[in-house]
Amino acid sequence: MKYYRFKQEGRMNCDVRVFATRDLYNQIEKTALKQLFNAASLPGVVGVIGLPDIHQGYGLPIGGVMCSSLKKGVISPGAVGFDINCGVRLLVAGLRLEDIIDKLDDIMSGLKNEIPAGLGVNSTLTFTDQQFERVVEEGLPFLITRLGYGQTIDIAACEENGHLKGADLTGVSKKAINRGKKQLGTLGSGNHFLEIQVIDKVYNHNSGLEEGQISIMIHTGSRGFGHQIAEDYINIAKKRAKKYNFDFPTKNLASFPINSPEGEDYYRAMACAANFAFANRQILTHFVRQVINHFIPGTFITVYYDLAHNICKKEIHQINGKKKALLVHRKGATKLSPDGIALVPGSMGTDSYIVRPKNQEALKAAFESVSHGAGRKMGRRQARKKLSYREHLKSLGEVRVTSATNDNLLDESPLAYKDISEVIRSLKETGLAEPVVRLKPLAVLKG
Ligand code: 5GP
Ligand code: MN
Ligand code: MN
């Protein structure tokens, strides 16, 4: 177990721990560290950590975890962020590389035609008001068993069984609902992607996966629905700051007392957005099954895992040796249960990984959290300015990349992300996790 520890001082209510190798630690921006110290200064916050892919975000850094006491802590829409339950899903197909390689281009065009992608692009599906309400309140069990998008075995493969409890649409604005209804079943833009991969290396044979097998990774979240909910509640939090006597360390960490009416409303609305995102990834899975089966009939595609990386959840963890009920905010960070796995995507030109816990003590100290990806090395604007298209194409190697918007994708270039092997090494060295399977990209559809 290895981490950098910043002792509680000044306004901070707890220590801050940063899990990283020296190399990655030296790359961390001062501003991202400052954001962790700010998070530790919020009332009732009892644990704050930074993960190996940490970089500056809105309020809480990406790769940041903030735990607050369920009794007297805060709930922070700023710390959860704008794309509520943005997350990653891994599908595994009953296909090997040689079964698909000749049809890859056709499948990618099929997926591009079938799956709406791009900024603000609308869904091809329609949902009645009542169906929408039940999807966001009841999550995958309703979407699958009542609306027919998939199979019941898909449910158990998802974090929280694809249903975050406590969701209630009453605290969600009309504007959010209208945006959401139009976008359920869309990929989104920018960093969101759908990638066909081949299982390149199996480190642990309990995974049930084989080298040469085909997997599909989906990265998307709650689209305009979650974004609007985040915006609505961040605005309310800023307005109520006086009422609750909050002196936010930074305005972007806007928060409510956890048991205030506004805090409870936010939790219920946030849970709706979380369920929307699980449903969104499930509908995209449905499209993937249709398209691949169109070109290769009889292909069985299972959901291997699905997990969130922008969310807050009620969990029990140890604080100073005592079990405590906490609200864990994870921003660009994923949950890794002691007996579970997590997905760590790299970039459109590099490998991705499935990982499992390495050292249980280290994992506990990180509130059962690991990196959600390689993390950005350059901001979007910086990448567009600094990178040449030639360098970018070279970095893709043989990976076939399609953009829904015909964008040049320089801001999503592998060169704009940290080195995934360094992040995995960091996870191993800090004891948080070790690789189970390595996945190599073959073709990527970008939003
Ligand atoms: P987010 O953008 O949600 O913060 O992070 C998602 C993570 O996915 C990034 O940190 C990055 O490492 C990874 N990533 C971004 N684009 C791609 C892609 O096209 N393919 C894969 N496999 N990973 C990606
Ligand atoms: Mn997202
Ligand atoms: Mn994401």
Side-chain angles (χ1 to χ4, degrees), residues 52 135 166 202 208 215 223 241 272 301 337 392 439:
V135 168
V202 174
S215 59
R223 313 285 297 104
C272 286
I301 297 175
S337 299
H392 162 64
L439 311 153

Side-chain angles (χ1 to χ4, degrees), residues 31 35 58 96 120 157 207 209 236 241 252 258 264 273:
T31 44
Q35 289 187 317
Y58 179 92
R96 298 190 52 82
S207 66
L209 300 174
I236 298 172
N252 295 342
I258 210 161
E264 288 174 354

Side-chain angles (χ1 to χ4, degrees), residues 191 193 195 219 309 345-348 352 372-375 412 417 446:
N191 51 344
F193 65 85
E195 181 171 289
H219 172 221
H309 55 234
S347 77
M348 61 182 172
S352 298
H372 82 309
E412 282 299 317
Y417 285 98
K446 275 280 183 177

Side-chain angles (χ1 to χ4, degrees), residues 305-414:
Y305 200 43
D306 179 309
L307 85 179
H309 55 234
N310 289 345
I311 200 163
C312 64
K313 298 203 301 179
K314 296 169 186 168
E315 297 176 4
I316 311 254
H317 292 282
Q318 291 212 354
I319 299 288
N320 301 327
K322 278 202 201 113
K323 280 193 177 167
K324 279 222 153 135
L326 305 176
L327 186 71
V328 183
H329 300 70
R330 291 192 181 86
K331 158 85 71 73
T334 61
K335 163 99 180 171
L336 175 57
S337 299
D339 55 356
I341 55 162
L343 307 172
V344 190
S347 77
M348 61 182 172
T350 53
D351 297 331
S352 298
Y353 288 83
I354 304 175
V355 300
R356 66 169 183 183
K358 183 162 185 243
N359 173 335
Q360 296 287 353
E361 285 307 307
L363 192 62
K364 255 192 216 163
F367 306 106
E368 296 174 10
S369 312
V370 288
S371 312
H372 82 309
R376 296 194 80 89
K377 187 163 72 185
M378 297 176 195
R380 290 180 179 285
R381 221 174 302 149
Q382 193 193 2
R384 283 193 180 274
K385 233 162 99 186
K386 245 180 114 175
L387 298 175
S388 80
Y389 194 59
R390 257 186 62 193
E391 282 175 315
H392 162 64
L393 281 186
K394 209 170 134 203
S395 76
L396 290 178
E398 293 186 354
V399 183
R400 307 175 200 190
V401 176
T402 323
S403 156
T405 49
N406 299 319
D407 185 17
N408 71 11
L409 297 175
L410 278 180
D411 53 343
E412 282 299 317
S413 174

Side-chain angles (χ1 to χ4, degrees), residues 77 81-82 175 179 226-236:
F82 283 95
K175 195 170 170 192
R179 288 180 73 178
H227 196 282
Q228 190 62 48
I229 289 172
E231 193 181 315
D232 289 344
Y233 278 92
I234 286 169
N235 287 336
I236 298 172

Side-chain angles (χ1 to χ4, degrees), residues 56-334:
Q56 193 191 332
Y58 179 92
L60 194 64
I62 322 265
V65 180
M66 175 179 103
C67 304
S68 69
S69 153
L70 263 195
K71 277 203 199 111
K72 42 186 191 217
V74 292
I75 180 167
S76 171
V80 171
F82 283 95
D83 193 358
I84 298 166
N85 189 7
C86 190
V88 176
R89 172 179 285 218
L90 188 73
L91 311 176
V92 174
L95 293 174
R96 298 190 52 82
L97 182 59
E98 54 273 23
D99 302 324
I100 198 172
I101 196 77
D102 293 338
K103 297 182 176 118
L104 206 51
D105 288 337
D106 290 339
I107 289 172
M108 289 313 285
S109 343
L111 290 169
K112 193 175 168 181
N113 286 337
E114 204 62 37
I115 297 178
L119 188 70
V121 168
N122 288 340
S123 177
T124 48
L125 308 170
T126 47
F127 297 90
T128 65
D129 289 343
Q130 205 210 358
Q131 284 172 338
F132 184 77
E133 179 173 352
R134 293 198 62 183
V135 168
V136 301
E137 290 186 352
E138 298 170 41
L140 289 196
F142 176 78
L143 182 79
I144 291 174
T145 60
R146 303 297 291 277
L147 301 184
Y149 287 99
Q151 301 144 4
T152 42
I153 50 161
D154 299 345
I155 296 171
C158 301
E159 182 177 4
E160 301 289 330
N161 291 310
H163 174 213
L164 196 59
K165 290 195 187 72
D168 191 325
L169 205 52
T170 49
V172 177
S173 67
K174 281 261 155 25
K175 195 170 170 192
I177 295 171
N178 288 338
R179 288 180 73 178
K181 270 185 70 183
K182 283 189 279 196
Q183 292 189 337
L184 189 52
T186 62
L187 183 62
S189 62
N191 51 344
H192 300 125
F193 65 85
L194 197 157
E195 181 171 289
I196 301 188
Q197 309 164 324
V198 59
I199 294 170
D200 186 38
K201 188 164 173 64
V202 174
Y203 301 83
N204 181 286
H205 292 277
N206 296 332
S207 66
L209 300 174
E210 276 173 34
E211 287 171 13
Q213 203 175 350
I214 295 297
S215 59
I216 299 110
M217 192 175 261
I218 298 172
H219 172 221
T220 187
S222 52
R223 313 285 297 104
F225 183 61
H227 196 282
Q228 190 62 48
I229 289 172
E231 193 181 315
D232 289 344
Y233 278 92
I234 286 169
N235 287 336
I236 298 172
K238 285 178 184 167
K239 280 191 207 131
R240 300 285 196 279
K242 261 218 188 91
K243 170 174 166 191
Y244 291 119
N245 210 9
F246 264 142
D247 171 18
F248 299 134
T250 78
K251 66 179 191 316
N252 295 342
L253 268 173
S255 312
F256 303 110
I258 210 161
N259 297 316
S260 63
E262 296 90 342
E264 288 174 354
D265 280 350
Y266 171 69
Y267 186 83
R268 291 190 279 260
M270 187 278 312
C272 286
N275 292 333
F276 179 107
F278 284 129
N280 200 27
R281 293 192 285 273
Q282 181 68 28
I283 293 172
L284 297 197
T285 300
H286 172 78
F287 288 145
V288 169
R289 283 174 168 152
Q290 274 188 338
V291 170
I292 293 187
N293 271 282
H294 175 78
F295 291 102
I296 313 175
T299 304
F300 197 63
I301 297 175
T302 52
V303 180
Y304 193 78
Y305 200 43
D306 179 309
L307 85 179
H309 55 234
N310 289 345
I311 200 163
C312 64
K313 298 203 301 179
K314 296 169 186 168
E315 297 176 4
I316 311 254
H317 292 282
Q318 291 212 354
I319 299 288
N320 301 327
K322 278 202 201 113
K323 280 193 177 167
K324 279 222 153 135
L326 305 176
L327 186 71
V328 183
H329 300 70
R330 291 192 181 86
K331 158 85 71 73
T334 61

